[in-house]
Amino acid sequence: MNIQPGKTIAIVGSSGSGKSTLTNLLIRFYDVDSGEILINGINIKDINLSWLRNNIGIVSQEPVLTSGTIRENILYGVDNYTEKKFIEICKLSNVYSFATDTKIFPKQFDTIVGERGVKVSGGQKQRIAIARALMKDAKILIFDEATSALDSENEAIVQDAINKIINQKNITSIIIAHRLSTVKNANIIYVMNHGKIVEFGNHEELIAKNGE
């Protein structure tokens, strides 16, 4: 698998095919026991672990929020930022529209979201997680089944945020998903089955193959 900088690739396949294992290897939750993973030609085992993880942003199916405010959750682990950048990213990730609704969030960005984000919906939680990943200026963004637990309305809002990020920022994006609607715009789609890549190509090429 060869991912070019600034491109969007998707990984699809049935449950247990190895999609999420790839991301766990990329951020070194565990290491490969054969072969190698390179970033800019450097083996990730030779890259400082904290640097590696600071440059990879992950939006998972069930992101974890702290009991702090919306702002604190977005800025978690971020040292340097400007208010202008904060607002820009909140708009890009579709957080701004709900966070500034004073009927729901009376203190706007300074509203406490509650333990594990109980005061925000699933779609809102995902958008906060996307904003958090963007605030740390990650060079690689991984969306691991980011919309799979959402209803169709919230999926559309979160997917819109993902599309805006892909179109406006020069970020290398890896999208892991079951739904074809989530991945059809990727530059390359890799199809996995039983831990192996069995097909790859863009959406039209894979449809034409009529394979996995």
Side-chain angles (χ1 to χ4, degrees), residues 80-117:
N80 299 312
Y81 77 97
T82 63
E83 189 66 14
K84 181 182 177 183
K85 178 184 176 182
F86 175 77
I87 296 297
E88 174 193 316
I89 282 174
C90 285
K91 289 180 177 178
L92 189 61
S93 56
N94 288 348
V95 168
Y96 191 85
S97 56
F98 75 80
T100 54
D101 185 345
T102 52
K103 290 180 182 177
I104 306 171
F105 300 100
K107 293 184 178 178
Q108 300 188 1
F109 293 107
D110 296 316
T111 304
I112 300 281
V113 296
E115 193 68 37
R116 297 183 70 185

PDB file of all heavy atoms in Angstrom, residues 80-117:
ATOM      1  N   ASN A  80      -0.266  25.796  21.319  1.00  0.00           N
ATOM      2  CA  ASN A  80      -0.270  27.101  20.648  1.00  0.00           C
ATOM      3  C   ASN A  80      -1.416  27.189  19.636  1.00  0.00           C
ATOM      4  O   ASN A  80      -1.521  26.330  18.755  1.00  0.00           O
ATOM      5  CB  ASN A  80       1.063  27.336  19.929  1.00  0.00           C
ATOM      6  CG  ASN A  80       2.231  27.344  20.905  1.00  0.00           C
ATOM      7  OD1 ASN A  80       2.174  28.009  21.926  1.00  0.00           O
ATOM      8  ND2 ASN A  80       3.273  26.595  20.580  1.00  0.00           N
ATOM      9  N   TYR A  81      -2.240  28.207  19.790  1.00  0.00           N
ATOM     10  CA  TYR A  81      -3.323  28.420  18.835  1.00  0.00           C
ATOM     11  C   TYR A  81      -3.768  29.874  18.923  1.00  0.00           C
ATOM     12  O   TYR A  81      -3.481  30.575  19.893  1.00  0.00           O
ATOM     13  CB  TYR A  81      -4.503  27.481  19.129  1.00  0.00           C
ATOM     14  CG  TYR A  81      -5.359  27.903  20.307  1.00  0.00           C
ATOM     15  CD1 TYR A  81      -6.539  28.614  20.112  1.00  0.00           C
ATOM     16  CD2 TYR A  81      -4.975  27.615  21.616  1.00  0.00           C
ATOM     17  CE1 TYR A  81      -7.317  29.019  21.200  1.00  0.00           C
ATOM     18  CE2 TYR A  81      -5.743  28.012  22.695  1.00  0.00           C
ATOM     19  CZ  TYR A  81      -6.914  28.709  22.483  1.00  0.00           C
ATOM     20  OH  TYR A  81      -7.676  29.111  23.545  1.00  0.00           O
ATOM     21  N   THR A  82      -4.452  30.325  17.889  1.00  0.00           N
ATOM     22  CA  THR A  82      -5.068  31.650  17.914  1.00  0.00           C
ATOM     23  C   THR A  82      -6.570  31.475  17.878  1.00  0.00           C
ATOM     24  O   THR A  82      -7.083  30.443  17.401  1.00  0.00           O
ATOM     25  CB  THR A  82      -4.636  32.494  16.701  1.00  0.00           C
ATOM     26  OG1 THR A  82      -5.100  31.843  15.504  1.00  0.00           O
ATOM     27  CG2 THR A  82      -3.122  32.650  16.645  1.00  0.00           C
ATOM     28  N   GLU A  83      -7.293  32.471  18.363  1.00  0.00           N
ATOM     29  CA  GLU A  83      -8.759  32.407  18.337  1.00  0.00           C
ATOM     30  C   GLU A  83      -9.258  32.338  16.892  1.00  0.00           C
ATOM     31  O   GLU A  83     -10.235  31.650  16.592  1.00  0.00           O
ATOM     32  CB  GLU A  83      -9.355  33.624  19.052  1.00  0.00           C
ATOM     33  CG  GLU A  83     -10.860  33.558  19.263  1.00  0.00           C
ATOM     34  CD  GLU A  83     -11.303  32.449  20.220  1.00  0.00           C
ATOM     35  OE1 GLU A  83     -10.458  31.886  20.946  1.00  0.00           O
ATOM     36  OE2 GLU A  83     -12.508  32.148  20.248  1.00  0.00           O
ATOM     37  N   LYS A  84      -8.556  33.023  15.999  1.00  0.00           N
ATOM     38  CA  LYS A  84      -8.935  33.001  14.580  1.00  0.00           C
ATOM     39  C   LYS A  84      -8.856  31.584  14.025  1.00  0.00           C
ATOM     40  O   LYS A  84      -9.772  31.120  13.320  1.00  0.00           O
ATOM     41  CB  LYS A  84      -8.012  33.936  13.783  1.00  0.00           C
ATOM     42  CG  LYS A  84      -8.333  33.996  12.303  1.00  0.00           C
ATOM     43  CD  LYS A  84      -7.355  34.909  11.568  1.00  0.00           C
ATOM     44  CE  LYS A  84      -7.655  34.906  10.071  1.00  0.00           C
ATOM     45  NZ  LYS A  84      -6.673  35.726   9.317  1.00  0.00           N
ATOM     46  N   LYS A  85      -7.755  30.881  14.351  1.00  0.00           N
ATOM     47  CA  LYS A  85      -7.593  29.503  13.886  1.00  0.00           C
ATOM     48  C   LYS A  85      -8.658  28.600  14.514  1.00  0.00           C
ATOM     49  O   LYS A  85      -9.222  27.727  13.837  1.00  0.00           O
ATOM     50  CB  LYS A  85      -6.198  28.994  14.242  1.00  0.00           C
ATOM     51  CG  LYS A  85      -5.957  27.548  13.827  1.00  0.00           C
ATOM     52  CD  LYS A  85      -4.595  27.053  14.293  1.00  0.00           C
ATOM     53  CE  LYS A  85      -4.412  25.582  13.960  1.00  0.00           C
ATOM     54  NZ  LYS A  85      -3.132  25.038  14.440  1.00  0.00           N
ATOM     55  N   PHE A  86      -8.940  28.815  15.799  1.00  0.00           N
ATOM     56  CA  PHE A  86      -9.944  28.016  16.499  1.00  0.00           C
ATOM     57  C   PHE A  86     -11.305  28.138  15.813  1.00  0.00           C
ATOM     58  O   PHE A  86     -11.966  27.134  15.534  1.00  0.00           O
ATOM     59  CB  PHE A  86     -10.034  28.474  17.957  1.00  0.00           C
ATOM     60  CG  PHE A  86     -11.110  27.804  18.760  1.00  0.00           C
ATOM     61  CD1 PHE A  86     -10.943  26.513  19.231  1.00  0.00           C
ATOM     62  CD2 PHE A  86     -12.302  28.465  19.046  1.00  0.00           C
ATOM     63  CE1 PHE A  86     -11.937  25.877  19.963  1.00  0.00           C
ATOM     64  CE2 PHE A  86     -13.299  27.851  19.784  1.00  0.00           C
ATOM     65  CZ  PHE A  86     -13.112  26.554  20.246  1.00  0.00           C
ATOM     66  N   ILE A  87     -11.727  29.366  15.522  1.00  0.00           N
ATOM     67  CA  ILE A  87     -13.027  29.608  14.871  1.00  0.00           C
ATOM     68  C   ILE A  87     -13.039  29.026  13.461  1.00  0.00           C
ATOM     69  O   ILE A  87     -14.021  28.393  13.034  1.00  0.00           O
ATOM     70  CB  ILE A  87     -13.358  31.121  14.835  1.00  0.00           C
ATOM     71  CG1 ILE A  87     -13.518  31.669  16.262  1.00  0.00           C
ATOM     72  CG2 ILE A  87     -14.600  31.397  14.004  1.00  0.00           C
ATOM     73  CD1 ILE A  87     -14.662  31.060  17.055  1.00  0.00           C
ATOM     74  N   GLU A  88     -11.938  29.190  12.741  1.00  0.00           N
ATOM     75  CA  GLU A  88     -11.845  28.670  11.372  1.00  0.00           C
ATOM     76  C   GLU A  88     -12.028  27.152  11.355  1.00  0.00           C
ATOM     77  O   GLU A  88     -12.765  26.602  10.526  1.00  0.00           O
ATOM     78  CB  GLU A  88     -10.473  29.042  10.797  1.00  0.00           C
ATOM     79  CG  GLU A  88     -10.178  28.455   9.427  1.00  0.00           C
ATOM     80  CD  GLU A  88      -8.708  28.592   9.047  1.00  0.00           C
ATOM     81  OE1 GLU A  88      -8.131  29.682   9.264  1.00  0.00           O
ATOM     82  OE2 GLU A  88      -8.135  27.614   8.540  1.00  0.00           O
ATOM     83  N   ILE A  89     -11.376  26.468  12.295  1.00  0.00           N
ATOM     84  CA  ILE A  89     -11.480  25.012  12.345  1.00  0.00           C
ATOM     85  C   ILE A  89     -12.859  24.567  12.820  1.00  0.00           C
ATOM     86  O   ILE A  89     -13.389  23.560  12.346  1.00  0.00           O
ATOM     87  CB  ILE A  89     -10.336  24.441  13.221  1.00  0.00           C
ATOM     88  CG1 ILE A  89      -9.046  24.457  12.392  1.00  0.00           C
ATOM     89  CG2 ILE A  89     -10.641  23.033  13.715  1.00  0.00           C
ATOM     90  CD1 ILE A  89      -7.802  24.061  13.117  1.00  0.00           C
ATOM     91  N   CYS A  90     -13.458  25.316  13.726  1.00  0.00           N
ATOM     92  CA  CYS A  90     -14.821  24.989  14.176  1.00  0.00           C
ATOM     93  C   CYS A  90     -15.822  25.095  13.029  1.00  0.00           C
ATOM     94  O   CYS A  90     -16.767  24.309  12.939  1.00  0.00           O
ATOM     95  CB  CYS A  90     -15.226  25.906  15.326  1.00  0.00           C
ATOM     96  SG  CYS A  90     -14.447  25.481  16.893  1.00  0.00           S
ATOM     97  N   LYS A  91     -15.603  26.061  12.145  1.00  0.00           N
ATOM     98  CA  LYS A  91     -16.483  26.189  10.974  1.00  0.00           C
ATOM     99  C   LYS A  91     -16.229  25.072   9.980  1.00  0.00           C
ATOM    100  O   LYS A  91     -17.165  24.490   9.423  1.00  0.00           O
ATOM    101  CB  LYS A  91     -16.273  27.561  10.314  1.00  0.00           C
ATOM    102  CG  LYS A  91     -16.830  28.721  11.128  1.00  0.00           C
ATOM    103  CD  LYS A  91     -16.598  30.075  10.448  1.00  0.00           C
ATOM    104  CE  LYS A  91     -17.243  31.195  11.269  1.00  0.00           C
ATOM    105  NZ  LYS A  91     -16.991  32.527  10.666  1.00  0.00           N
ATOM    106  N   LEU A  92     -14.960  24.756   9.766  1.00  0.00           N
ATOM    107  CA  LEU A  92     -14.584  23.707   8.812  1.00  0.00           C
ATOM    108  C   LEU A  92     -15.113  22.341   9.241  1.00  0.00           C
ATOM    109  O   LEU A  92     -15.536  21.541   8.409  1.00  0.00           O
ATOM    110  CB  LEU A  92     -13.053  23.667   8.685  1.00  0.00           C
ATOM    111  CG  LEU A  92     -12.446  22.790   7.599  1.00  0.00           C
ATOM    112  CD1 LEU A  92     -12.904  23.228   6.212  1.00  0.00           C
ATOM    113  CD2 LEU A  92     -10.926  22.832   7.671  1.00  0.00           C
ATOM    114  N   SER A  93     -15.118  22.088  10.544  1.00  0.00           N
ATOM    115  CA  SER A  93     -15.559  20.782  11.064  1.00  0.00           C
ATOM    116  C   SER A  93     -17.053  20.757  11.413  1.00  0.00           C
ATOM    117  O   SER A  93     -17.543  19.800  12.013  1.00  0.00           O
ATOM    118  CB  SER A  93     -14.733  20.414  12.303  1.00  0.00           C
ATOM    119  OG  SER A  93     -14.834  21.432  13.271  1.00  0.00           O
ATOM    120  N   ASN A  94     -17.776  21.814  11.054  1.00  0.00           N
ATOM    121  CA  ASN A  94     -19.224  21.927  11.316  1.00  0.00           C
ATOM    122  C   ASN A  94     -19.566  21.903  12.810  1.00  0.00           C
ATOM    123  O   ASN A  94     -20.657  21.479  13.203  1.00  0.00           O
ATOM    124  CB  ASN A  94     -20.010  20.838  10.572  1.00  0.00           C
ATOM    125  CG  ASN A  94     -20.072  21.074   9.075  1.00  0.00           C
ATOM    126  OD1 ASN A  94     -19.727  22.156   8.604  1.00  0.00           O
ATOM    127  ND2 ASN A  94     -20.495  20.086   8.321  1.00  0.00           N
ATOM    128  N   VAL A  95     -18.628  22.373  13.645  1.00  0.00           N
ATOM    129  CA  VAL A  95     -18.894  22.527  15.080  1.00  0.00           C
ATOM    130  C   VAL A  95     -19.568  23.875  15.354  1.00  0.00           C
ATOM    131  O   VAL A  95     -20.457  23.983  16.200  1.00  0.00           O
ATOM    132  CB  VAL A  95     -17.577  22.436  15.901  1.00  0.00           C
ATOM    133  CG1 VAL A  95     -17.791  22.887  17.343  1.00  0.00           C
ATOM    134  CG2 VAL A  95     -17.043  21.010  15.882  1.00  0.00           C
ATOM    135  N   TYR A  96     -19.162  24.881  14.612  1.00  0.00           N
ATOM    136  CA  TYR A  96     -19.584  26.258  14.870  1.00  0.00           C
ATOM    137  C   TYR A  96     -21.107  26.400  14.887  1.00  0.00           C
ATOM    138  O   TYR A  96     -21.662  27.075  15.755  1.00  0.00           O
ATOM    139  CB  TYR A  96     -18.982  27.183  13.807  1.00  0.00           C
ATOM    140  CG  TYR A  96     -19.124  28.658  14.113  1.00  0.00           C
ATOM    141  CD1 TYR A  96     -18.188  29.311  14.924  1.00  0.00           C
ATOM    142  CD2 TYR A  96     -20.176  29.403  13.593  1.00  0.00           C
ATOM    143  CE1 TYR A  96     -18.306  30.656  15.215  1.00  0.00           C
ATOM    144  CE2 TYR A  96     -20.305  30.750  13.867  1.00  0.00           C
ATOM    145  CZ  TYR A  96     -19.367  31.374  14.683  1.00  0.00           C
ATOM    146  OH  TYR A  96     -19.498  32.709  14.961  1.00  0.00           O
ATOM    147  N   SER A  97     -21.772  25.720  13.965  1.00  0.00           N
ATOM    148  CA  SER A  97     -23.226  25.885  13.821  1.00  0.00           C
ATOM    149  C   SER A  97     -23.992  25.455  15.066  1.00  0.00           C
ATOM    150  O   SER A  97     -24.970  26.099  15.459  1.00  0.00           O
ATOM    151  CB  SER A  97     -23.731  25.101  12.603  1.00  0.00           C
ATOM    152  OG  SER A  97     -23.356  23.739  12.703  1.00  0.00           O
ATOM    153  N   PHE A  98     -23.568  24.366  15.718  1.00  0.00           N
ATOM    154  CA  PHE A  98     -24.300  23.938  16.921  1.00  0.00           C
ATOM    155  C   PHE A  98     -23.743  24.573  18.193  1.00  0.00           C
ATOM    156  O   PHE A  98     -24.493  24.864  19.133  1.00  0.00           O
ATOM    157  CB  PHE A  98     -24.356  22.404  17.036  1.00  0.00           C
ATOM    158  CG  PHE A  98     -23.081  21.731  17.471  1.00  0.00           C
ATOM    159  CD1 PHE A  98     -22.700  21.693  18.807  1.00  0.00           C
ATOM    160  CD2 PHE A  98     -22.268  21.095  16.549  1.00  0.00           C
ATOM    161  CE1 PHE A  98     -21.544  21.055  19.224  1.00  0.00           C
ATOM    162  CE2 PHE A  98     -21.099  20.460  16.944  1.00  0.00           C
ATOM    163  CZ  PHE A  98     -20.738  20.444  18.282  1.00  0.00           C
ATOM    164  N   ALA A  99     -22.429  24.817  18.224  1.00  0.00           N
ATOM    165  CA  ALA A  99     -21.810  25.339  19.449  1.00  0.00           C
ATOM    166  C   ALA A  99     -22.205  26.788  19.730  1.00  0.00           C
ATOM    167  O   ALA A  99     -22.131  27.245  20.873  1.00  0.00           O
ATOM    168  CB  ALA A  99     -20.297  25.225  19.369  1.00  0.00           C
ATOM    169  N   THR A 100     -22.640  27.505  18.705  1.00  0.00           N
ATOM    170  CA  THR A 100     -23.046  28.904  18.898  1.00  0.00           C
ATOM    171  C   THR A 100     -24.557  29.043  19.059  1.00  0.00           C
ATOM    172  O   THR A 100     -25.068  30.163  19.132  1.00  0.00           O
ATOM    173  CB  THR A 100     -22.566  29.773  17.716  1.00  0.00           C
ATOM    174  OG1 THR A 100     -23.030  29.202  16.483  1.00  0.00           O
ATOM    175  CG2 THR A 100     -21.046  29.877  17.699  1.00  0.00           C
ATOM    176  N   ASP A 101     -25.258  27.925  19.118  1.00  0.00           N
ATOM    177  CA  ASP A 101     -26.710  27.947  19.351  1.00  0.00           C
ATOM    178  C   ASP A 101     -26.962  28.063  20.856  1.00  0.00           C
ATOM    179  O   ASP A 101     -26.888  27.078  21.591  1.00  0.00           O
ATOM    180  CB  ASP A 101     -27.339  26.662  18.799  1.00  0.00           C
ATOM    181  CG  ASP A 101     -28.865  26.670  18.886  1.00  0.00           C
ATOM    182  OD1 ASP A 101     -29.418  27.526  19.611  1.00  0.00           O
ATOM    183  OD2 ASP A 101     -29.485  25.816  18.232  1.00  0.00           O
ATOM    184  N   THR A 102     -27.255  29.268  21.318  1.00  0.00           N
ATOM    185  CA  THR A 102     -27.366  29.527  22.760  1.00  0.00           C
ATOM    186  C   THR A 102     -28.584  28.859  23.406  1.00  0.00           C
ATOM    187  O   THR A 102     -28.640  28.735  24.624  1.00  0.00           O
ATOM    188  CB  THR A 102     -27.412  31.041  23.043  1.00  0.00           C
ATOM    189  OG1 THR A 102     -28.429  31.638  22.239  1.00  0.00           O
ATOM    190  CG2 THR A 102     -26.070  31.690  22.725  1.00  0.00           C
ATOM    191  N   LYS A 103     -29.546  28.412  22.601  1.00  0.00           N
ATOM    192  CA  LYS A 103     -30.699  27.691  23.167  1.00  0.00           C
ATOM    193  C   LYS A 103     -30.262  26.320  23.686  1.00  0.00           C
ATOM    194  O   LYS A 103     -30.790  25.826  24.687  1.00  0.00           O
ATOM    195  CB  LYS A 103     -31.790  27.526  22.100  1.00  0.00           C
ATOM    196  CG  LYS A 103     -32.478  28.826  21.716  1.00  0.00           C
ATOM    197  CD  LYS A 103     -33.538  28.573  20.658  1.00  0.00           C
ATOM    198  CE  LYS A 103     -34.214  29.883  20.229  1.00  0.00           C
ATOM    199  NZ  LYS A 103     -35.189  29.662  19.143  1.00  0.00           N
ATOM    200  N   ILE A 104     -29.328  25.716  22.995  1.00  0.00           N
ATOM    201  CA  ILE A 104     -28.849  24.385  23.397  1.00  0.00           C
ATOM    202  C   ILE A 104     -27.598  24.490  24.261  1.00  0.00           C
ATOM    203  O   ILE A 104     -27.457  23.783  25.251  1.00  0.00           O
ATOM    204  CB  ILE A 104     -28.537  23.528  22.143  1.00  0.00           C
ATOM    205  CG1 ILE A 104     -29.750  23.482  21.214  1.00  0.00           C
ATOM    206  CG2 ILE A 104     -28.129  22.114  22.532  1.00  0.00           C
ATOM    207  CD1 ILE A 104     -29.487  22.859  19.868  1.00  0.00           C
ATOM    208  N   PHE A 105     -26.690  25.395  23.867  1.00  0.00           N
ATOM    209  CA  PHE A 105     -25.427  25.584  24.588  1.00  0.00           C
ATOM    210  C   PHE A 105     -25.327  27.044  25.039  1.00  0.00           C
ATOM    211  O   PHE A 105     -24.767  27.874  24.317  1.00  0.00           O
ATOM    212  CB  PHE A 105     -24.241  25.196  23.706  1.00  0.00           C
ATOM    213  CG  PHE A 105     -24.268  23.760  23.248  1.00  0.00           C
ATOM    214  CD1 PHE A 105     -24.714  23.423  21.974  1.00  0.00           C
ATOM    215  CD2 PHE A 105     -23.882  22.739  24.100  1.00  0.00           C
ATOM    216  CE1 PHE A 105     -24.750  22.101  21.557  1.00  0.00           C
ATOM    217  CE2 PHE A 105     -23.913  21.415  23.692  1.00  0.00           C
ATOM    218  CZ  PHE A 105     -24.350  21.086  22.425  1.00  0.00           C
ATOM    219  N   PRO A 106     -25.907  27.356  26.213  1.00  0.00           N
ATOM    220  CA  PRO A 106     -26.020  28.754  26.657  1.00  0.00           C
ATOM    221  C   PRO A 106     -24.685  29.497  26.749  1.00  0.00           C
ATOM    222  O   PRO A 106     -24.629  30.707  26.515  1.00  0.00           O
ATOM    223  CB  PRO A 106     -26.685  28.647  28.031  1.00  0.00           C
ATOM    224  CG  PRO A 106     -26.526  27.213  28.445  1.00  0.00           C
ATOM    225  CD  PRO A 106     -26.496  26.421  27.177  1.00  0.00           C
ATOM    226  N   LYS A 107     -23.615  28.787  27.066  1.00  0.00           N
ATOM    227  CA  LYS A 107     -22.292  29.436  27.142  1.00  0.00           C
ATOM    228  C   LYS A 107     -21.453  29.154  25.902  1.00  0.00           C
ATOM    229  O   LYS A 107     -20.236  29.341  25.903  1.00  0.00           O
ATOM    230  CB  LYS A 107     -21.552  28.965  28.400  1.00  0.00           C
ATOM    231  CG  LYS A 107     -22.208  29.430  29.702  1.00  0.00           C
ATOM    232  CD  LYS A 107     -21.374  29.016  30.916  1.00  0.00           C
ATOM    233  CE  LYS A 107     -22.014  29.522  32.209  1.00  0.00           C
ATOM    234  NZ  LYS A 107     -21.240  29.095  33.400  1.00  0.00           N
ATOM    235  N   GLN A 108     -22.128  28.704  24.860  1.00  0.00           N
ATOM    236  CA  GLN A 108     -21.491  28.407  23.580  1.00  0.00           C
ATOM    237  C   GLN A 108     -20.277  27.484  23.768  1.00  0.00           C
ATOM    238  O   GLN A 108     -20.418  26.403  24.325  1.00  0.00           O
ATOM    239  CB  GLN A 108     -21.147  29.718  22.862  1.00  0.00           C
ATOM    240  CG  GLN A 108     -22.385  30.559  22.585  1.00  0.00           C
ATOM    241  CD  GLN A 108     -22.115  31.762  21.707  1.00  0.00           C
ATOM    242  OE1 GLN A 108     -21.020  32.028  21.248  1.00  0.00           O
ATOM    243  NE2 GLN A 108     -23.157  32.531  21.444  1.00  0.00           N
ATOM    244  N   PHE A 109     -19.097  27.902  23.321  1.00  0.00           N
ATOM    245  CA  PHE A 109     -17.930  27.022  23.387  1.00  0.00           C
ATOM    246  C   PHE A 109     -17.502  26.721  24.825  1.00  0.00           C
ATOM    247  O   PHE A 109     -16.758  25.767  25.060  1.00  0.00           O
ATOM    248  CB  PHE A 109     -16.743  27.637  22.634  1.00  0.00           C
ATOM    249  CG  PHE A 109     -16.949  27.718  21.153  1.00  0.00           C
ATOM    250  CD1 PHE A 109     -17.186  28.933  20.537  1.00  0.00           C
ATOM    251  CD2 PHE A 109     -16.920  26.579  20.366  1.00  0.00           C
ATOM    252  CE1 PHE A 109     -17.376  29.014  19.168  1.00  0.00           C
ATOM    253  CE2 PHE A 109     -17.116  26.645  18.996  1.00  0.00           C
ATOM    254  CZ  PHE A 109     -17.353  27.869  18.390  1.00  0.00           C
ATOM    255  N   ASP A 110     -17.948  27.528  25.757  1.00  0.00           N
ATOM    256  CA  ASP A 110     -17.573  27.330  27.166  1.00  0.00           C
ATOM    257  C   ASP A 110     -18.634  26.561  27.954  1.00  0.00           C
ATOM    258  O   ASP A 110     -18.626  26.551  29.181  1.00  0.00           O
ATOM    259  CB  ASP A 110     -17.287  28.686  27.819  1.00  0.00           C
ATOM    260  CG  ASP A 110     -16.087  29.374  27.177  1.00  0.00           C
ATOM    261  OD1 ASP A 110     -15.078  28.681  26.941  1.00  0.00           O
ATOM    262  OD2 ASP A 110     -16.171  30.582  26.885  1.00  0.00           O
ATOM    263  N   THR A 111     -19.533  25.904  27.235  1.00  0.00           N
ATOM    264  CA  THR A 111     -20.537  25.045  27.869  1.00  0.00           C
ATOM    265  C   THR A 111     -19.903  23.706  28.244  1.00  0.00           C
ATOM    266  O   THR A 111     -19.190  23.096  27.443  1.00  0.00           O
ATOM    267  CB  THR A 111     -21.725  24.780  26.916  1.00  0.00           C
ATOM    268  OG1 THR A 111     -22.270  26.027  26.490  1.00  0.00           O
ATOM    269  CG2 THR A 111     -22.814  23.968  27.609  1.00  0.00           C
ATOM    270  N   ILE A 112     -20.155  23.250  29.481  1.00  0.00           N
ATOM    271  CA  ILE A 112     -19.658  21.941  29.923  1.00  0.00           C
ATOM    272  C   ILE A 112     -20.421  20.846  29.173  1.00  0.00           C
ATOM    273  O   ILE A 112     -21.652  20.856  29.123  1.00  0.00           O
ATOM    274  CB  ILE A 112     -19.881  21.761  31.448  1.00  0.00           C
ATOM    275  CG1 ILE A 112     -19.143  22.845  32.238  1.00  0.00           C
ATOM    276  CG2 ILE A 112     -19.456  20.367  31.896  1.00  0.00           C
ATOM    277  CD1 ILE A 112     -17.674  22.624  32.424  1.00  0.00           C
ATOM    278  N   VAL A 113     -19.700  19.911  28.587  1.00  0.00           N
ATOM    279  CA  VAL A 113     -20.373  18.858  27.824  1.00  0.00           C
ATOM    280  C   VAL A 113     -20.727  17.647  28.675  1.00  0.00           C
ATOM    281  O   VAL A 113     -21.486  16.774  28.256  1.00  0.00           O
ATOM    282  CB  VAL A 113     -19.545  18.411  26.596  1.00  0.00           C
ATOM    283  CG1 VAL A 113     -19.394  19.546  25.612  1.00  0.00           C
ATOM    284  CG2 VAL A 113     -18.194  17.869  27.005  1.00  0.00           C
ATOM    285  N   GLY A 114     -20.177  17.547  29.890  1.00  0.00           N
ATOM    286  CA  GLY A 114     -20.533  16.422  30.755  1.00  0.00           C
ATOM    287  C   GLY A 114     -19.582  15.259  30.606  1.00  0.00           C
ATOM    288  O   GLY A 114     -18.794  15.186  29.666  1.00  0.00           O
ATOM    289  N   GLU A 115     -19.658  14.337  31.542  1.00  0.00           N
ATOM    290  CA  GLU A 115     -18.777  13.169  31.548  1.00  0.00           C
ATOM    291  C   GLU A 115     -18.950  12.354  30.275  1.00  0.00           C
ATOM    292  O   GLU A 115     -20.058  11.969  29.913  1.00  0.00           O
ATOM    293  CB  GLU A 115     -19.084  12.289  32.769  1.00  0.00           C
ATOM    294  CG  GLU A 115     -18.037  11.225  33.044  1.00  0.00           C
ATOM    295  CD  GLU A 115     -16.703  11.838  33.509  1.00  0.00           C
ATOM    296  OE1 GLU A 115     -16.735  12.841  34.242  1.00  0.00           O
ATOM    297  OE2 GLU A 115     -15.671  11.295  33.111  1.00  0.00           O
ATOM    298  N   ARG A 116     -17.847  12.152  29.559  1.00  0.00           N
ATOM    299  CA  ARG A 116     -17.818  11.380  28.305  1.00  0.00           C
ATOM    300  C   ARG A 116     -18.744  11.959  27.244  1.00  0.00           C
ATOM    301  O   ARG A 116     -19.213  11.257  26.349  1.00  0.00           O
ATOM    302  CB  ARG A 116     -18.148   9.906  28.568  1.00  0.00           C
ATOM    303  CG  ARG A 116     -17.141   9.223  29.471  1.00  0.00           C
ATOM    304  CD  ARG A 116     -17.451   7.763  29.661  1.00  0.00           C
ATOM    305  NE  ARG A 116     -17.222   6.987  28.457  1.00  0.00           N
ATOM    306  CZ  ARG A 116     -17.512   5.695  28.339  1.00  0.00           C
ATOM    307  NH1 ARG A 116     -18.024   5.054  29.369  1.00  0.00           N
ATOM    308  NH2 ARG A 116     -17.281   5.042  27.219  1.00  0.00           N
ATOM    309  N   GLY A 117     -19.064  13.254  27.358  1.00  0.00           N
ATOM    310  CA  GLY A 117     -19.837  13.911  26.317  1.00  0.00           C
ATOM    311  C   GLY A 117     -21.316  13.597  26.327  1.00  0.00           C
ATOM    312  O   GLY A 117     -21.958  13.564  25.277  1.00  0.00           O
TER     313      GLY A 117
END
